[in-house]
Amino acid sequence: MTSASLPPPPPPPVPTRTIGFWRRLARPLAAVVLSFALAMPVAAVMVAAGASDGAVGAVVTAAGGGLMLLFAWLFWRGLPAHERRLAIAVKGRRWPAVAWGALVGFGLMVGSVAVVAAGAMLDPTVADRLEERSIDIGSAPWQRGLMLIGLVVLAPLSEELVFRGLLLRTLARRFAFWPAAAISGLVFGGVHIDAYEVWPRLLALALTGVGLAVLYRWRGYPAAVAAHATVNAVAAVALLAG
């Protein structure tokens, strides 16, 4: 056989993109920080213009959720293709997973209320702080509609991608699942906490974050989004009723 008849050599292997742990960890945290950093000036401008608390709250809630979803999507796009698929995959069939998510979300909401109620029983100052805390969801239909979109659609989509699809999966590369779930739950609770409600609200939110992490591991991203949306929807209905 002559050299002219030999098959061509195989192409060199394509180098695999590798992303370090700390860079992976910084991405979901950056999505949170950037969304807050860009939403707060919007609130400041609206307050300076004399907008009502309801209007400011509705716009900032929707804007913050939309911005976080945008940054989370950009960082998600930076992952290798197989990791992108795993981050938003559904385990099992989609609609049963979504149904399980809604059921688990209702249970998480009940558990969160129970933790806060127990805290109020143990510490009388908790009840006083909760009574003083008020959330203005607005009186105009567009304010309430925008608030609902922010709470029930944008927040679940963005936060589940940030805290479960990016943060939890990053932590699980370094730690076992339960420590990773606990850390991601604490970060999730810390992002939502008000300075004067560390106890017992942080505990309730952290436990909710751990529950969402377990659901994400069991049924995937769509189920976690459905659970998160259910929690927020129940809270929104309570606000509307109040």
Side-chain angles (χ1 to χ4, degrees):
M1 180 180 296
T2 65
S3 60
S5 62
L6 292 176
V14 179
T16 303
R17 262 190 315 172
T18 58
I19 305 173
F21 172 78
W22 294 108
R23 186 179 172 189
R24 288 175 180 271
L25 190 62
R27 289 181 171 187
L29 301 179
V32 175
V33 172
L34 289 171
S35 61
F36 277 112
L38 293 177
M40 288 303 101
V42 175
V45 170
M46 293 185 68
V47 170
S52 67
D53 290 344
V56 174
V59 171
V60 170
T61 298
L67 287 167
M68 190 181 296
L69 183 59
L70 172 62
F71 289 122
W73 179 81
L74 291 173
F75 292 137
W76 171 80
R77 288 289 301 170
L79 295 173
H82 70 285
E83 293 189 36
R84 293 200 301 269
R85 290 192 296 270
L86 290 173
I88 61 171
V90 59
K91 297 182 179 180
R93 292 189 299 170
R94 181 175 299 274
W95 291 114
V98 170
W100 272 110
L103 183 62
V104 170
F106 186 78
L108 290 174
M109 186 63 186
V110 172
S112 180
V113 171
V115 170
V116 173
M121 292 177 62
L122 295 172
D123 183 358
T125 64
V126 170
D128 295 336
R129 293 199 306 270
L130 291 175
E131 187 175 346
E132 293 171 359
R133 182 175 186 265
S134 62
I135 300 176
D136 190 348
I137 61 173
S139 56
W142 73 267
Q143 295 172 4
R144 295 192 170 197
L146 197 58
M147 179 70 78
L148 287 174
I149 291 172
L151 289 174
V152 183
V153 179
L154 296 176
L157 288 172
S158 61
E159 292 178 12
E160 290 312 305
L161 186 54
V162 166
F163 294 107
R164 258 61 68 179
L166 296 176
L167 180 60
L168 176 64
R169 295 185 66 84
T170 295
L171 293 169
R173 297 172 70 92
R174 179 67 60 93
F175 308 104
F177 171 76
W178 287 108
I183 295 170
S184 66
L186 283 172
V187 175
F188 175 77
V191 166
H192 291 82
I193 200 65
D194 296 309
Y196 55 90
E197 289 187 0
V198 172
W199 159 255
R201 185 166 155 80
L202 177 59
L203 176 61
L205 288 167
L207 291 175
T208 298
V210 172
L212 290 169
V214 173
L215 179 63
Y216 175 84
R217 184 190 191 192
W218 176 42
R219 286 292 186 174
Y221 175 74
V225 170
H228 197 146
T230 301
V231 170
N232 287 8
V234 173
V237 169
L239 289 173
L240 290 170

